[in-house]
Amino acid sequence: MASTAAEPSPVTDSTPPPLWPDGAGPLPPNPLPPNPTLPFWRTELHELDTHRSTPELPQSCDVLIIGSGYSGVSTAYHLVESYGDAPLSSIVMVEAREACSGGHVKPIVYFAFPRQAAIYGDKVANEIAEFQLQHVLAVKDLVEKENIDCDFQLTRACDVFLDQAYADQVTASFNKIKASGATCVRQVQYTGPRDAEQISGVKGAKCCLTFPAAHLWPYKLVMHLLSLVIAKGVNLQTRTPVLSVADKQEADGSWAVTTSRGTIMVKKIVFATNAYTAYIAPQYTDKIIPCRGICSRIVCPGPGRAPHLPNSYSLRAGPSNSDYFVSRADGSIVVGGAKPYVSVRKELWYNVVDDSKIVEPARQHFDGYMQRNFRGWEETGAYTDKVWSGVQGYTTDLASHVGEVPGKSGQFIIAGFNGHGMPEILLTSKAVASMVKDGKTYEETGLPMVFKTTQERLNYEGNHIALG
């Protein structure tokens, strides 16, 4: 049964001491620096941002969800939904920092197909792409069902290739995918060199491909869902980092989870911890790698000066030279990537958790970005308003880890989305909720089998992580 609601407790804790100051095995030290860079998405904070449902951490619960990002909150949402009008089990959600999230609902579709097909075969690569495509309308349906004010826009993504040799390579690859009979590319529109610049609006475009996508204010989506589940009885504890999970169950089948504010005994655990998973689930060390990225917001000095861009974009000048962005209704552009500056040195991004700093040389990449690349933007005066870092979880075999943790009865994971969580998490979390509550097997959920976390995958020694 859900615990009796108590008055929310304002968080007044001082900054906790660094966690793992000397690192955790091969993991870098201090995954939670005290002064992370501020994303644009966190400039309008929700009243639940530092919420604690009860002044003290509960001593026990039926389900503990670790992480209040999109995957954790979506799992909680589907769990609560599955109970209907029945009494809710006790569900606690702990968050190391504040409630948080970020993202862009952009299926990969054709672009990752060759790399995934090389590892898993064409059938699996197509299955992943189709699964991601489902999320565009699934997120739209959720936003409409719950009347979520999150600036949701249904659109198309436009991938633009700027280097002729690279464009030729992608064109040949796309034609090969079509010839294979893959269904995922039916919704992809290819435009060749004659019309690519006119269709995309990008200077020097050699070809472009468009496909279904969406963008939104992810923090507002997550916070709305969080408010729904808290109202139904989920207990949220922010600024409560998990320090460790017991290696073995107690005699009654429960797990002891130690946090910075005490220990909680839990029947089931959901690791919705993405890049930070291996700090508390060490079997995922070297399997889910924290990788730092960089993002920015570009604005114009006056209203109505910039042409509206109806699509979201990726500009690709080479395999390790790309950016992505969304055009917002307020006229601003959120641009991420700057990979020519980031990917050249592995130590700047790979196995990096320090989001208190940005890759300084990359800052200049965003200055004048729109004027350089887009027709009609030359005289807009667009400038870089904000730059920040974020940490993503990449997996060495390029597939997310989902399902019951091998050898750990009652522990579940939903993590490692390789920078593409928004077009995978909503339906994945629904499946995880059914495993947690109803005892469904992974196979019964209908999720792509490639995502299933297994001991075989944990034993895999390859590493396919690459930017581009």
Side-chain angles (χ1 to χ4, degrees):
M1 297 288 289
S3 59
T4 302
E7 285 298 313
S9 173
V11 176
T12 58
D13 300 6
S14 60
T15 302
L19 305 179
W20 301 280
D22 300 317
L27 290 166
N30 193 18
L32 302 171
N35 298 300
T37 54
L38 178 66
F40 164 70
W41 307 121
R42 286 186 52 80
T43 56
E44 296 182 17
L45 297 183
H46 192 277
E47 62 183 0
L48 297 176
D49 189 68
T50 59
H51 180 79
R52 285 180 181 167
S53 300
T54 53
E56 303 298 327
L57 180 73
Q59 294 183 345
S60 64
C61 67
D62 293 322
V63 179
L64 177 70
I65 299 173
I66 307 174
S68 71
Y70 188 31
S71 57
V73 172
S74 294
T75 301
Y77 171 79
H78 290 302
L79 273 172
V80 170
E81 283 282 289
S82 70
Y83 277 89
D85 295 328
L88 187 67
S89 294
S90 57
I91 302 172
V92 174
M93 178 181 292
V94 291
E95 167 59 47
R97 284 174 167 169
E98 300 80 26
C100 56
S101 193
H104 170 204
V105 192
K106 180 186 176 183
I108 310 177
V109 195
Y110 75 94
F111 187 73
F113 192 104
R115 189 167 54 174
Q116 291 169 336
I119 302 171
Y120 300 112
D122 288 358
K123 183 178 179 181
V124 171
N126 186 65
E127 185 181 21
I128 294 171
E130 288 283 15
F131 182 68
Q132 292 193 357
L133 280 165
Q134 291 178 43
H135 280 74
V136 176
L137 293 182
V139 174
K140 179 177 183 288
D141 290 343
L142 173 67
V143 168
E144 293 176 348
K145 174 188 175 185
E146 300 295 354
N147 194 27
I148 303 173
D149 181 8
C150 61
D151 298 350
F152 180 89
Q153 291 291 324
L154 188 65
T155 183
R156 288 182 74 82
C158 183
D159 283 5
V160 183
F161 293 84
L162 303 174
D163 175 78
Q164 188 62 62
Y166 193 32
D168 292 344
Q169 176 186 332
V170 169
T171 299
S173 173
F174 178 68
N175 289 332
K176 184 178 179 181
I177 296 170
K178 287 198 300 181
S180 75
T183 58
C184 64
V185 294
R186 290 181 301 172
Q187 298 187 67
V188 180
Q189 175 68 47
Y190 172 87
T191 300
R194 187 189 69 182
D195 299 321
E197 186 169 323
Q198 180 66 29
I199 293 296
S200 68
V202 176
K203 300 173 185 179
K206 307 305 181 188
C207 74
C208 63
L209 298 93
T210 69
F211 45 93
H215 59 81
L216 45 80
W217 192 311
Y219 176 83
K220 292 184 178 182
L221 170 70
V222 170
M223 296 310 295
H224 188 106
L225 295 179
L226 194 55
S227 66
L228 294 178
V229 301
I230 289 174
K232 293 289 184 70
V234 172
N235 185 309
L236 172 65
Q237 299 288 324
T238 62
R239 296 181 181 172
T240 306
V242 170
L243 306 181
S244 64
V245 177
D247 187 55
K248 296 181 179 180
Q249 288 172 287
E250 299 293 322
D252 63 357
S254 63
W255 294 95
V257 177
T258 302
T259 79
S260 62
R261 297 172 53 230
T263 297
I264 180 171
M265 303 304 298
V266 307
K267 294 179 181 178
K268 295 179 180 179
I269 304 171
V270 178
F271 292 97
T273 40
N274 209 29
Y276 305 95
T277 300
Y279 284 95
I280 53 175
Q283 59 269 58
Y284 290 93
T285 301
D286 291 331
K287 307 307 170 190
I288 301 178
I289 310 294
C291 295
R292 181 172 61 183
I294 187 170
C295 204
S296 71
R297 181 176 183 246
I298 295 173
V299 300
C300 293
R305 296 193 60 184
H308 176 64
L309 298 172
N311 298 320
S312 63
Y313 281 85
S314 286
L315 303 191
R316 301 184 181 276
S320 295
N321 186 349
S322 63
D323 301 294
Y324 60 90
F325 75 78
V326 296
S327 173
R328 292 181 33 77
D330 63 6
S332 67
I333 308 291
V334 176
V335 186
K339 291 185 179 176
Y341 296 92
V342 177
S343 62
V344 291
R345 290 169 52 194
K346 188 177 180 181
E347 68 271 18
L348 296 177
W349 62 274
Y350 184 88
N351 202 32
V352 176
V353 293
D354 186 358
D355 57 1
S356 68
K357 302 181 180 68
I358 64 167
V359 180
E360 280 299 332
R363 187 187 296 271
Q364 66 189 30
H365 176 72
F366 301 114
D367 294 334
Y369 182 89
M370 299 303 295
Q371 292 92 324
R372 291 195 307 271
N373 290 300
F374 281 85
R375 297 165 60 174
W377 280 74
E378 294 83 356
E379 305 301 324
T380 61
Y383 65 94
T384 306
D385 172 63
K386 186 179 292 292
V387 181
W388 64 93
S389 290
V391 183
Q392 304 163 312
Y394 279 74
T395 63
T396 52
D397 61 4
L398 304 182
S400 52
H401 278 275
V402 180
E404 190 163 28
V405 176
K408 302 289 185 179
S409 177
Q411 294 188 17
F412 301 84
I413 186 171
I414 173 170
F417 291 101
N418 296 288
H420 294 279
M422 292 297 289
E424 285 189 9
I425 286 172
L426 186 61
L427 299 180
T428 300
S429 61
K430 185 175 183 178
V432 170
S434 71
M435 295 182 224
V436 172
K437 175 178 176 289
D438 302 324
K440 281 189 176 182
T441 65
Y442 186 96
E443 290 73 12
E444 290 173 325
T445 67
L447 288 176
M449 286 302 299
V450 69
F451 297 156
K452 182 180 180 181
T453 190
T454 62
Q455 190 60 49
E456 181 182 10
R457 291 182 65 193
L458 296 180
N459 293 340
Y460 177 69
E461 296 183 355
N463 189 337
H464 295 276
I465 297 173
L467 289 185

